[in-house]
Amino acid sequence: MCLLWRGVAQSSHVQRRVVFGLRRYTCGVRGPALDINDNTTILGVESSADDSAVAVLDCKGNVLGESLISQFKEHRNYGGIWPMRARAQHQANLPIATEEALQRAGKCLQDISVIAFTIGPGLAPCLDAGLDWTCELAGRGGIPLLPVHHMHAHALTARMMADNDIVFPFMVLLVSGGHCTFAVAEDVSTFKILGSRRENQNPGVVLDKIAYLLRLHKVPSLEHLVPGAAIERAAVGGDPARYRFPWLRKHNQECNTTFSCYVPRLKQYLVDSDVHSDPDQPTPSYEDYAASVQAHLMTYITTKAERAALYTAEHYPDVRHFVVSGGVASNQLLRSNLRAMLARRGLRWSLVAPPSRLCTDNGVMIAWAGLEYLRQGISPLAQCDRDALRYDPKLSIGEDLSRLVVESKISVPLPT
């Protein structure tokens, strides 16, 4: 049995940045292409937000072992992730998760061929902790490092599902706490952006804040759930038409999104209701609030997805799959809405979403993306140079075509 030394190297205070080209990355010196054979084993490390996740995959993408240590209980009382606290938790949890994943895989560190890890985007302190740990592992085992784009990993995860033969190009919706991006994946590392967020608010962040305002963590049947899942469960017993939220028509010709209306409107509803509830109890009528927010939010995303799908169908006629991934992609109402939209528009595409456990951040997706990179010929780094290897919290997924979508003037009416 191989045990890991649980010490973690001290972090540099210098922000590390890596530049991804549209088809390649530059961060230090790249080595020769890694030959994939039956003995190739990939370790994937994910630390972009509040999940410390590690997984071990073989050369065919089979999961040999994995571990995930969640921090959501550490942050739920803040209505979002506290970055520096998350970083400290990663420093403590990543060695444990790595040891667990290797033990479950029946492997030692010396058996690992390459370490794939998240280089961005994400929360800077969290990416920093992950970079510290992977550099420590690589230096100790003499193992090459392979930086992985976090959103590439989410998009590519669907391709590891045995019951789907997803070929390029395909359309993708990446929807999470940090992103709401519509894109076309042309190959493993080439993505064209059709629309993305207009400000820092994203669906996952909105759901975190809504769950906090409704105090869903005070509901015994919901306290063990992450905020998005808690809202979905609470909405089952609520009236989605009871509370109204505005439809933003100013940017109706684009796929870029804005989610700034939800939290202020909910706060106004709570003020207008003049209910002085017990702070140790959930907000009265929380089921109706949850149902109303969910219905509006998922309809809004679907409307933007409809425009992106129509643009994609015109400019990428070979597309046959629509991949939906990221934490919010677990929402069943969103999936149902998207399927109905494709049918209504006569698009004979398959809507593909990974299992819920692979929609949220995980080590499997990083290891799988690393395998996809290697198959495409993207080389790992020749050496672990901490000064050259830098993360990027705002790493773009690809070329932005959102202006072309606007110029196409695709009309998609918003609900009344």
Side-chain angles (χ1 to χ4, degrees):
M1 180 180 298
C2 298
L3 298 179
L4 293 171
W5 174 65
R6 293 184 178 177
V8 181
Q10 292 297 312
S11 168
S12 167
H13 293 291
V14 179
Q15 181 181 6
R16 300 166 182 142
R17 181 177 178 85
V18 65
V19 180
F20 265 75
L22 295 179
R23 304 186 70 87
R24 65 186 178 87
Y25 58 81
T26 57
C27 48
V29 179
R30 292 195 298 167
L34 183 70
D35 291 332
I36 302 175
N37 55 52
D38 290 344
N39 295 320
T40 300
T41 307
I42 302 174
L43 182 77
V45 179
E46 157 60 19
S47 67
S48 64
D50 61 342
D51 289 320
S52 305
V54 181
V56 181
L57 269 62
D58 66 14
C59 63
K60 297 181 180 179
N62 298 311
V63 180
L64 304 180
E66 62 177 311
S67 176
L68 187 149
I69 303 176
S70 176
Q71 302 179 26
F72 91 91
K73 290 184 179 180
E74 297 282 337
H75 302 281
R76 65 184 178 184
N77 290 331
Y78 306 108
I81 300 172
W82 185 350
M84 294 309 295
R85 176 165 290 192
R87 177 178 179 273
Q89 290 296 310
H90 282 309
Q91 290 177 322
N93 293 339
L94 282 171
I96 298 172
T98 303
E99 182 177 307
E100 288 180 350
L102 287 171
Q103 288 182 346
R104 291 167 183 171
K107 300 290 184 181
C108 293
L109 187 60
Q110 292 75 15
D111 298 322
I112 300 301
S113 307
V114 63
I115 299 174
F117 70 101
T118 303
I119 197 69
L123 298 174
C126 300
L127 294 170
D128 186 66
L131 183 54
D132 281 342
W133 177 240
T134 51
C135 284
E136 172 69 24
L137 287 176
R140 195 149 28 94
I143 304 168
L145 287 175
L146 184 57
V148 168
H149 193 297
H150 181 77
M151 304 313 290
H152 288 179
H154 271 305
L156 296 172
T157 302
R159 282 171 46 88
M160 75 179 293
M161 299 164 59
D163 56 344
N164 289 291
D165 184 19
I166 302 174
V167 297
F168 297 103
F170 60 84
M171 182 176 153
V172 60
L173 165 59
L174 303 172
V175 57
S176 65
H179 304 273
C180 185
T181 300
F182 302 95
V184 175
E186 295 185 348
D187 63 36
V188 166
S189 58
T190 305
F191 287 70
K192 299 298 175 64
I193 301 171
L194 306 180
S196 59
R197 62 180 181 174
R198 296 186 63 88
E199 76 287 284
N200 289 330
Q201 293 288 330
N202 280 295
V205 171
V206 168
L207 293 176
D208 285 352
K209 293 181 177 179
I210 296 296
Y212 176 73
L213 288 172
L214 298 180
R215 298 195 291 275
L216 297 185
H217 57 285
K218 300 296 184 179
V219 181
S221 62
L222 305 178
E223 63 179 354
H224 65 289
L225 298 175
V226 296
I231 286 178
E232 185 173 10
R233 182 78 61 83
V236 172
D239 177 5
R242 180 173 177 182
Y243 298 104
R244 306 278 291 179
F245 292 84
W247 298 108
L248 301 179
R249 303 180 184 277
K250 180 179 179 181
H251 306 291
N252 197 31
Q253 294 298 316
E254 61 186 20
C255 296
N256 293 328
T257 54
T258 178
F259 300 95
S260 58
C261 70
Y262 293 97
V263 173
R265 177 59 66 95
L266 177 60
K267 287 181 176 179
Q268 190 60 51
Y269 275 132
L270 296 178
V271 170
D272 293 344
S273 66
D274 195 28
V275 175
H276 302 286
S277 58
D278 185 342
D280 291 326
Q281 297 296 321
T283 301
S285 302
Y286 69 85
E287 299 98 332
D288 292 341
Y289 285 121
S292 298
V293 169
Q294 177 183 249
H296 191 285
L297 182 65
M298 301 311 167
T299 299
Y300 175 67
I301 295 173
T302 302
T303 300
K304 294 294 186 176
E306 186 171 354
R307 179 173 291 105
L310 293 175
Y311 179 89
T312 300
E314 179 180 353
H315 295 273
Y316 294 87
D318 293 334
V319 166
R320 292 294 178 269
H321 293 89
F322 182 5
V323 172
V324 187
S325 192
V328 181
S330 301
N331 186 278
Q332 295 302 311
L333 179 60
L334 176 60
R335 296 187 187 190
S336 176
N337 285 355
L338 293 172
R339 289 191 183 94
M341 178 273 291
L342 293 176
R344 184 175 68 254
R345 285 294 188 174
L347 296 174
R348 302 182 68 178
W349 298 352
S350 297
L351 183 74
V352 182
S356 293
R357 72 179 189 87
L358 295 181
C359 281
T360 53
D361 293 347
N362 60 88
V364 172
M365 73 179 195
I366 302 302
W368 172 260
L371 179 59
E372 291 262 44
Y373 282 8
L374 294 175
R375 287 171 175 171
Q376 185 173 291
I378 297 177
S379 302
L381 303 180
Q383 58 186 5
C384 178
D385 185 344
R386 290 173 62 85
D387 292 329
L389 187 57
R390 303 174 184 180
Y391 61 77
D392 187 348
K394 297 185 178 181
L395 188 60
S396 175
I397 193 174
E399 182 182 2
D400 190 347
L401 303 183
S402 59
R403 179 181 58 82
L404 299 180
V405 176
V406 174
E407 292 175 355
S408 297
K409 297 182 179 179
I410 300 172
S411 179
V412 176
L414 284 171
T416 57

